[in-house]
Amino acid sequence: MFFVKVLEHTATLHPSFFGAQASEFIIDQLYRDREGSNTGTMMIIAIIDIEDISEPKIVPGSGYAQYNVSYRAIVWRPFRGEVVDGMVNSVVNNGFFVEVGGLNVFVSKAMIPSQLKFTMEGATPSFTDGTEQTVERGSQVRLRIKGLRGEMGTMYAIGSIREDYLGPLLQ
Amino acid sequence: MRIHTPPDLAYPLTVTKLLCSAGDEVEENGALFGYKYRAKTAVWDKDVRENVQKELDHFADFESEVEGTILSLKVTDGQVLRGVTLVAEVEEPCKHEVQFGGMCADCGKDMNTVSYSTTVKNTSRATINTVHGHTALLVSQAEASRADEEAKRRLLDARKLSLVVDLDQTVIHATVDPTVGEWQEDADNPNHEAVKGVRKFQLVDDGPGGRGTWYYIKLRPGLTEFLQTISQDYELHIYTMATRAYAKEISNIVDPDHKLFADRILSRDENGSMSSKNLKRLFPVDTKMVVIIDDRGDVWSWSPNLVKVPAYDFFVGIGDINSSFLPKRPELEARPKQAATTDEQQKDDKPNDDSSDTSTLEVKPDEGSSAAPSPASTTPSTPPAANGEVSAVDRIVSMAGKQDDGSMEERTQEQDKTIAEQFADRPLLRKQKILDAAEKEAEASPAAEVAAEMLLGDGESKDATLAEPSKYRHNLLQDDDTELESLATSLRNIHGSYFEQYERDNASLLQSSRVNELKNSKAGSKKKSLDELERIPDAAIIMSALKNKVLSGVHLVFSGVVPLGVDVHNCDIGIWAKSFGARLSDNIGKRTTHVIASPERRTAKVRQAAKRGGRVQIVNQNWLYACFSAWTRVDEGPFRIHTDANGNGKAGDLPDEFRDAKSGEQLLSSSDEEAATTEDEADESGTGTDSEKPNGVAARGRRPLGLDTELEDLQQYAPSMERKDSSPTATEQEEDWGDIMKEMDDFLGSDVDDLSDTESIKTGAEVPLDGSRTPSSQRKRKRDAPAGEDGTGGAVGESEGEGGAEGSRLQKRKKEAMERTTSLTNVQSVVSLRTATPAATAEEGGGSSGGGGGTGDGDGNAAGEATGWEGEDDLEAALAAEMSREDGDEEA
């Protein structure tokens, strides 16, 4: 789900950048570092604006200046039970991997309806029921998030398509 | 799950009541039964008005660590548990057999949560990594074998095997040298034709400046057809030590439709180890249906499933750009060309910044001195000496790296550096320039070696003018062109015989199971299919059988092929030959059938073999390589060398410098070298001990002359001087050795004569370049000493003539050094003047003043030498080493 959230960021600036443009450097750095990053629970999609840049403080012992920046950003945070769309990244015999933005989702065989069978036809692995539904690399899939876990920088999720209206999207 | 009582409870426990029964659902940490135990507790005693220890009954509940349905409860009311006991069996709704990113893929639970009752971590239930591209997905052993079974069934149905393909230098060759791009643009460039087919792609994340590096990829000739044909018999996997992005790009090039490899790509990002490849990573259960092709055997620890492919080396001097993650090639690839390239590579790998400079320096004089048209043919004459050195250092580095946790980062940096260096150095352009210059002289076509590789006819015409090593190049080229064809043939053979055997096994199985089928068709067929999977033939065994046939009955002796100090049985070519059924021995015996020799050296073994007439074939390594790639015993005819060799043949047909250089480079196995040289000497001079070794070995003073046998023996075990020459620890070692000699000296008795004797050894040992002369001159001095007892310097000096003249420069330097050291030695020398001087006088007179009567200062210094050593061993050693270095410089 997408949110607009006020976030805090602590940035340090090298003394050689001190001057009238210091705050611009800091904002630059903020955009560079934070946009598109993954905190482990959410992904920062875009920074809307900067709310406040604090007065800099010199970090004792180093000479760097430390700024506290608070900014508003559009973030995406997946929740357990949420239904999301994603693209299949790779298919293996015990399930398939889906990329939902920055979130890696694995849909295991237990979470796939039993009529979809794993095949290696034509050396391209896929889950297919032989008629209209096929999950292979590159196909769009709608799934429900069953489990979520985040480490710094990455998020993992377990997904399921074993429900009505879930599974490969018909293009 | 079977639930046991944990070992850290206060046994004995008495079960007081059961809180649930079989068939009940239990939650995690839900109570199974209540129990009581006795324990000492501090209790307030009213009478003594203080706490006393008292045994009391305590009551507690035993809780299930997992949720699920209770299948059976193994305890009864009143039962006493005296240790770890099985108390219940609980069927879990999910066994968490597939886990993804720390979660169960089947139920979505977090596997990292640990509660107080947990005895088995949930994460330990699934530890096997089966999927190529994802490390986050782990499965349990049971799940893995299930998947494996499935895969096997699928493969058997399709009548395919699995083939694990290495990328770099096996099916492609890559470089980041931007020269290639320029050559591609420039239609007039001689290399244009050759690099036309080179593909390129850009990777953004690594490379100098983070700008993104262009990678130039040359496919091995015939690769597309090879993959097409082989994919009918094999399911293909990529297993590379390169990054995932790189591997993806390569697979886009070699397999644009993703039909061949699909997603079966394993890169170093997913490989557990940085230095080795492991089949278990891809096939955790069993590897019966797996064949590997790779250009390196060591990273697979010579797995029996491996088909080793000769390395593909298109961009000369580049090597494997992803090799910093692999252990260094343990030796020179036996082909001289390879040797040169890996060597340079290693040099470039060296962390110091000036390494590229030195390599340039080293290459250039070479080109000048030996006017060979190809750089590859000349480089072997210098670098191998450094090779032993560098690889030793590298080995230490890599050993240290393995222990270090930060080694990954370190190696990434190293690789980045290598790439950056290659990027900046442009080795190809450099070589092209050198080549152009050389070829102008040779009047050959201006085509670069790259072009030459493509144009075989051209190579042939040049062949006559090339130095020996380039002959290999020529052969190598042919190999390159046909390697994949012959590889495809042998892979097809493996496939063929595998399924032949499978059919045979199946047929007999079918017979036996027919009875079963009649009795109970359903169960019988099921059983059959299970048996079938267990009984499938093992590709490794079939391959070994096929390979063993190739060279069975062949007894090999290597001569001049395996680098010095490398065990024949453990070197690449040796292991490789053994895997084809050949037997190796160190010396020529009755059963020897082939001597694998290098064409430019007629070693003792070659002559020995030649004496045996036609029974022993003398061939070059390429015969072995041809056998390896064709998987048949090819005709020796074209590979025969030294056909004119006979028992009395001399090794003198080569210029001495060449042999000197060679012997100094440790190209040969030690026994070989010694045998060869000694025999040469016996042939040439026939004088035996006196001038035992005028070439390489002795020149380095490894075995000074005319010594007591004991000393001589000892000297043999001295660290070899060739190695020390460039070693940073040379001086220390010399000091150590000096100490040993001194000890030996004391042991032998310390009269002056002996002393001077050992001194001469020392000079021999310490002065690698002039060593051959100095000892002999000093030896002569010693022998002549009695003759010139009166100190009539002139006469002795004249007799000394030839010996002294050459050594004199060194002597003079020493003298100067002695004058500079301390006057104390001079004082001392006066004391010992009477005993030691006659010889010294003669020596000095003969040496410095050319037979004149200049005894005066000569005396003191020579004696000073003799005595000074006693006290100033170390200083002396250092001085001598330094002087020798200067001498060497001057001579060079």
Side-chain angles (χ1 to χ4, degrees):
Chain A
M1 216 178 285
F2 294 96
F3 298 90
V4 172
K5 188 168 164 54
V6 177
L7 293 163
E8 287 275 335
H9 178 61
T10 309
T12 52
L13 191 68
H14 190 266
S16 60
F17 295 107
F18 290 177
Q21 295 195 308
S23 60
E24 274 169 46
F25 281 123
I26 285 295
I27 291 167
D28 236 36
Q29 193 189 333
L30 175 75
Y31 275 86
R32 213 171 42 236
D33 290 355
R34 306 304 299 161
E35 258 185 353
S37 71
N38 196 328
T39 62
T41 53
M42 60 188 173
M43 190 171 172
I44 297 170
I45 306 292
I47 293 172
I48 301 170
D49 53 15
I50 311 293
E51 290 210 317
D52 177 46
I53 300 181
S54 71
E55 286 296 311
K57 267 188 205 159
I58 300 292
V59 179
S62 77
Y64 278 81
Q66 183 180 306
Y67 292 77
N68 289 321
V69 188
S70 73
Y71 59 99
R72 284 198 311 147
I74 300 174
V75 298
W76 180 70
R77 182 176 170 177
F79 290 91
R80 184 177 302 159
E82 190 182 349
V83 174
V84 289
D85 288 358
M87 197 176 76
V88 176
N89 183 343
S90 71
V91 179
V92 295
N93 59 357
N94 37 16
F96 58 86
F97 295 89
V98 186
E99 260 176 27
V100 182
L103 177 71
N104 292 312
V105 185
F106 179 68
V107 180
S108 85
K109 235 189 316 197
M111 301 283 196
I112 298 171
S114 48
Q115 67 264 28
L116 290 183
K117 293 268 185 320
F118 178 73
T119 47
M120 285 283 283
E121 291 294 309
T124 348
S126 64
F127 281 90
T128 180
D129 62 354
T131 52
E132 52 185 11
Q133 288 202 320
T134 305
V135 178
E136 59 186 5
R137 184 198 166 101
S139 49
Q140 298 286 329
V141 172
R142 179 163 296 161
L143 54 90
R144 186 184 293 281
I145 295 172
K146 286 285 185 183
L148 263 178
R149 216 176 87 80
E151 284 160 17
M152 199 58 209
T154 47
M155 288 189 287
Y156 297 106
I158 301 297
S160 165
I161 58 168
R162 200 167 193 158
E163 263 176 71
D164 288 349
Y165 309 111
L166 298 182
L169 301 175
L170 303 172
Q171 270 100 6
Chain B
M1 186 184 178
R2 297 148 75 86
I3 294 178
H4 296 264
T5 53
D8 51 358
L9 290 183
Y11 294 105
L13 318 173
T14 314
V15 178
T16 52
K17 64 176 171 189
L18 300 181
L19 295 168
C20 56
S21 56
D24 284 0
E25 297 281 328
V26 66
E27 293 170 1
E28 190 178 342
N29 298 333
L32 290 177
F33 59 88
Y35 62 88
K36 65 173 184 189
Y37 62 94
R38 290 187 80 82
K40 277 188 179 165
T41 327
V43 180
W44 179 255
D45 191 321
K46 270 183 194 160
D47 301 338
V48 288
R49 301 186 71 77
E50 61 180 7
N51 283 335
V52 288
Q53 297 290 323
K54 217 175 181 183
E55 281 225 329
L56 284 178
D57 274 345
H58 295 262
F59 293 87
D61 286 346
F62 185 83
E63 294 165 347
S64 164
E65 60 178 294
V66 291
E67 67 166 334
T69 316
I70 298 170
L71 288 179
S72 60
L73 209 54
K74 305 281 187 191
V75 289
T76 50
D77 210 345
Q79 188 183 341
V80 178
L81 310 177
R82 301 195 176 276
V84 176
T85 324
L86 173 67
V87 291
E89 263 183 273
V90 177
E91 191 186 36
E92 296 159 274
C94 178
K95 284 185 176 160
H96 313 311
E97 290 199 287
V98 182
Q99 298 181 2
F100 175 69
M103 283 171 298
C104 173
D106 294 335
C107 64
K109 261 194 192 148
D110 193 334
M111 296 288 102
N112 286 298
T113 50
V114 176
S115 81
Y116 61 89
S117 61
T118 309
T119 53
V120 183
K121 263 188 156 183
N122 277 329
T123 43
S124 66
R125 295 192 187 193
T127 49
I128 299 171
N129 218 327
T130 47
V131 181
H132 289 73
H134 297 267
T135 41
L137 187 70
L138 299 165
V139 300
S140 69
Q141 183 71 39
E143 182 69 24
S145 37
R146 217 174 300 145
D148 181 73
E149 205 172 287
E150 224 166 80
K152 267 191 207 151
R153 233 178 268 275
R154 183 168 43 78
L155 283 176
L156 284 176
D157 285 347
R159 299 186 73 73
K160 281 185 177 183
L161 296 174
S162 298
L163 181 69
V164 176
V165 180
D166 171 55
L167 291 180
D168 284 299
Q169 294 210 272
T170 303
V171 294
I172 56 142
H173 195 205
T175 182
V176 296
D177 190 340
T179 319
V180 179
E182 285 160 21
W183 287 348
Q184 266 180 321
E185 300 287 305
D186 177 12
D188 298 334
N189 195 286
N191 299 303
H192 181 70
E193 197 61 32
V195 296
K196 238 185 196 170
V198 172
R199 313 280 292 270
K200 58 178 182 177
F201 61 84
Q202 192 174 25
L203 288 185
V204 182
D205 40 339
D206 52 8
R211 289 276 127 211
T213 317
W214 282 98
Y215 287 77
Y216 298 92
I217 309 299
K218 170 71 181 150
L219 307 185
R220 203 161 190 161
L223 178 65
T224 323
E225 300 83 59
F226 169 77
L227 291 179
Q228 285 301 340
T229 51
I230 222 67
S231 66
Q232 293 162 7
D233 290 345
Y234 289 88
E235 188 178 271
L236 303 177
H237 302 251
I238 289 177
Y239 195 152
T240 178
M241 281 301 189
T243 59
R244 178 140 199 98
Y246 176 88
K248 271 243 161 85
E249 290 290 347
I250 301 282
S251 85
N252 282 343
I253 289 172
V254 299
D255 174 27
D257 311 329
H258 300 286
K259 292 281 178 213
L260 304 173
F261 294 107
D263 288 328
R264 296 183 294 269
I265 301 171
L266 183 72
S267 65
R268 71 156 181 252
D269 299 344
E270 297 97 34
N271 188 23
S273 155
M274 274 300 138
S275 56
S276 67
K277 298 182 179 177
N278 194 348
L279 266 190
K280 290 276 176 236
R281 170 65 183 81
L282 281 180
F283 305 93
V285 181
D286 83 340
T287 56
K288 276 182 178 168
M289 295 181 74
V290 187
V291 180
I292 312 163
I293 54 172
D294 201 321
D295 64 314
R296 297 200 38 173
D298 51 340
V299 293
W300 288 104
S301 350
W302 295 99
S303 152
N305 301 64
L306 172 72
V307 178
K308 187 174 182 295
V309 186
Y312 181 46
D313 207 14
F314 178 74
F315 303 110
V316 178
I318 301 298
D320 184 349
I321 59 167
N322 293 305
S323 63
S324 6
F325 283 90
L326 299 178
K328 296 290 174 214
R329 286 196 186 244
E331 57 183 277
L332 317 173
E333 186 89 338
R335 292 171 194 171
K337 182 181 154 214
Q338 287 283 330
T341 54
T342 46
D343 207 274
E344 211 151 287
Q345 184 72 14
Q346 285 179 340
K347 219 172 271 168
D348 286 349
D349 284 351
K350 264 173 133 187
N352 49 345
D353 286 329
D354 53 354
S355 68
S356 56
D357 292 347
T358 55
S359 73
T360 351
L361 283 176
E362 263 170 74
V363 173
K364 274 175 186 162
D366 264 324
E367 297 311 317
S369 63
S370 57
S374 113
S377 67
T378 50
T379 29
S381 54
T382 35
N387 186 67
E389 211 43 56
V390 173
S391 63
V393 171
D394 281 343
R395 221 174 294 142
I396 293 165
V397 167
S398 71
M399 272 181 337
K402 260 173 216 157
Q403 292 159 354
D404 194 352
D405 282 344
S407 74
M408 162 77 185
E409 196 181 336
E410 216 166 83
R411 290 201 190 188
T412 315
Q413 280 171 0
E414 190 189 341
Q415 170 141 17
D416 284 352
K417 193 172 273 175
T418 317
I419 287 179
E421 254 167 37
Q422 206 179 89
F423 190 79
D425 277 8
R426 302 190 161 209
L428 286 175
L429 187 63
R430 211 170 63 213
K431 288 199 172 178
Q432 169 69 43
K433 277 180 184 159
I434 293 163
L435 189 70
D436 281 350
E439 285 198 348
K440 236 170 246 168
E441 289 171 38
E443 281 211 342
S445 106
E449 61 214 331
V450 193
E453 287 197 9
M454 302 307 283
L455 307 164
L456 276 180
D458 194 33
E460 211 125 45
S461 72
K462 274 197 292 178
D463 212 47
T465 61
L466 295 181
E468 270 86 351
S470 50
K471 277 183 196 155
Y472 292 104
R473 279 189 62 219
H474 177 62
N475 272 332
L476 181 75
L477 303 179
Q478 285 176 326
D479 275 356
D480 273 349
D481 286 332
T482 59
E483 191 53 55
L484 285 180
E485 275 176 45
S486 52
L487 183 62
T489 319
S490 35
L491 287 177
R492 264 200 301 274
N493 281 342
I494 295 173
H495 179 266
S497 35
Y498 185 90
F499 279 99
E500 203 176 290
Q501 170 133 22
Y502 172 68
E503 293 285 304
R504 226 181 302 135
D505 290 356
N506 242 9
S508 58
L509 204 73
L510 217 67
Q511 294 253 305
S512 62
S513 67
R514 192 155 287 164
V515 190
N516 282 350
E517 245 167 284
L518 282 173
K519 278 181 186 162
N520 184 346
S521 62
K522 195 104 188 193
S525 67
K526 202 172 182 187
K527 194 174 170 229
K528 193 202 86 182
S529 63
L530 267 178
D531 275 359
E532 195 183 311
L533 278 184
E534 267 166 34
R535 291 249 207 129
I536 58 164
D538 189 344
I541 294 172
I542 285 171
M543 284 170 64
S544 313
L546 279 179
K547 281 162 102 181
N548 269 321
K549 269 187 234 160
V550 175
L551 293 179
S552 67
V554 172
H555 281 71
L556 293 176
V557 172
F558 286 103
S559 175
V561 175
V562 179
L564 188 79
V566 174
D567 183 8
V568 182
H569 295 269
N570 287 330
C571 68
D572 261 21
I573 192 171
I575 299 172
W576 204 358
K578 277 197 281 187
S579 77
F580 277 92
R583 299 209 174 172
L584 305 182
S585 42
D586 291 329
N587 294 306
I588 290 173
K590 271 182 192 158
R591 292 189 295 175
T592 305
T593 58
H594 289 78
V595 172
I596 310 294
S598 80
E600 63 263 25
R601 289 188 51 88
R602 184 167 303 162
T603 57
K605 282 180 192 168
V606 169
R607 281 198 300 281
Q608 206 185 331
K611 272 184 201 155
R612 289 170 177 265
R615 277 171 301 163
V616 180
Q617 307 265 16
I618 305 164
V619 290
N620 59 20
Q621 299 108 291
N622 287 330
W623 176 74
L624 267 188
Y625 289 122
C627 293
F628 292 160
S629 62
W631 284 49
T632 48
R633 192 169 151 182
V634 297
D635 180 35
E636 288 92 346
F639 304 100
R640 213 165 272 158
I641 49 171
H642 302 306
T643 40
D644 52 337
N646 54 42
N648 306 322
K650 282 191 178 182
D653 28 5
L654 284 159
D656 270 357
E657 323 93 65
F658 182 62
R659 294 194 312 142
D660 273 8
K662 277 270 162 189
S663 55
E665 285 157 16
Q666 318 173 344
L667 253 183
L668 306 173
S669 73
S670 60
S671 63
D672 229 3
E673 168 65 24
E674 258 153 50
T677 40
T678 38
E679 206 169 293
D680 286 351
E681 288 339 303
D683 282 345
E684 278 166 2
S685 56
T687 47
T689 50
D690 259 17
S691 59
E692 204 179 324
K693 287 178 184 178
N695 62 359
V697 181
R700 312 261 164 177
R702 208 206 265 168
R703 231 195 242 186
L705 318 168
L707 301 165
D708 306 1
T709 46
E710 277 176 50
L711 279 175
E712 202 173 348
D713 287 345
L714 190 61
Q715 200 74 31
Q716 276 182 354
Y717 298 108
S720 70
M721 287 306 141
E722 296 95 296
R723 205 168 275 182
K724 276 165 126 194
D725 279 352
S726 47
S727 156
T729 56
T731 41
E732 289 168 39
Q733 285 176 347
E734 269 163 30
E735 282 166 20
D736 285 353
W737 199 240
D739 289 346
I740 295 171
M741 291 310 295
K742 216 171 153 236
E743 264 185 47
M744 189 65 199
D745 202 8
D746 292 343
F747 174 70
L748 288 174
S750 54
D751 53 317
V752 183
D753 241 351
D754 264 354
L755 188 69
S756 73
D757 206 351
T758 43
E759 239 73 292
S760 73
I761 298 159
K762 222 175 287 157
T763 34
E766 283 155 3
V767 185
L769 279 171
D770 290 31
S772 63
R773 296 156 199 149
T774 343
S776 71
S777 69
Q778 293 200 348
R779 180 178 51 78
K780 275 187 186 168
R781 178 188 71 180
K782 195 193 88 187
R783 280 197 193 158
D784 289 338
E789 231 163 36
D790 302 359
T792 53
V796 186
E798 255 162 35
S799 79
E800 202 63 35
E802 312 103 50
E806 283 171 307
S808 66
R809 201 147 27 120
L810 178 73
Q811 295 295 339
K812 219 188 276 175
R813 281 173 182 280
K814 267 196 199 140
K815 195 170 72 183
E816 283 162 18
M818 285 312 299
E819 276 165 3
R820 255 182 269 126
T821 49
T822 166
S823 57
L824 194 67
T825 51
N826 278 334
V827 178
Q828 275 189 335
S829 74
V830 178
V831 184
S832 56
L833 198 72
R834 287 277 74 81
T835 43
T837 39
T841 318
E843 159 66 23
E844 288 304 317
S848 53
S849 49
T855 41
D857 53 4
D859 274 352
N861 290 316
E865 258 170 57
T867 44
W869 262 317
E870 273 181 325
E872 298 170 25
D873 229 355
D874 295 359
L875 176 67
E876 216 34 59
L879 271 173
E882 186 139 313
M883 278 187 286
S884 76
R885 214 167 295 136
E886 281 169 23
D887 265 5
D889 286 348
E890 274 174 30
E891 274 170 21

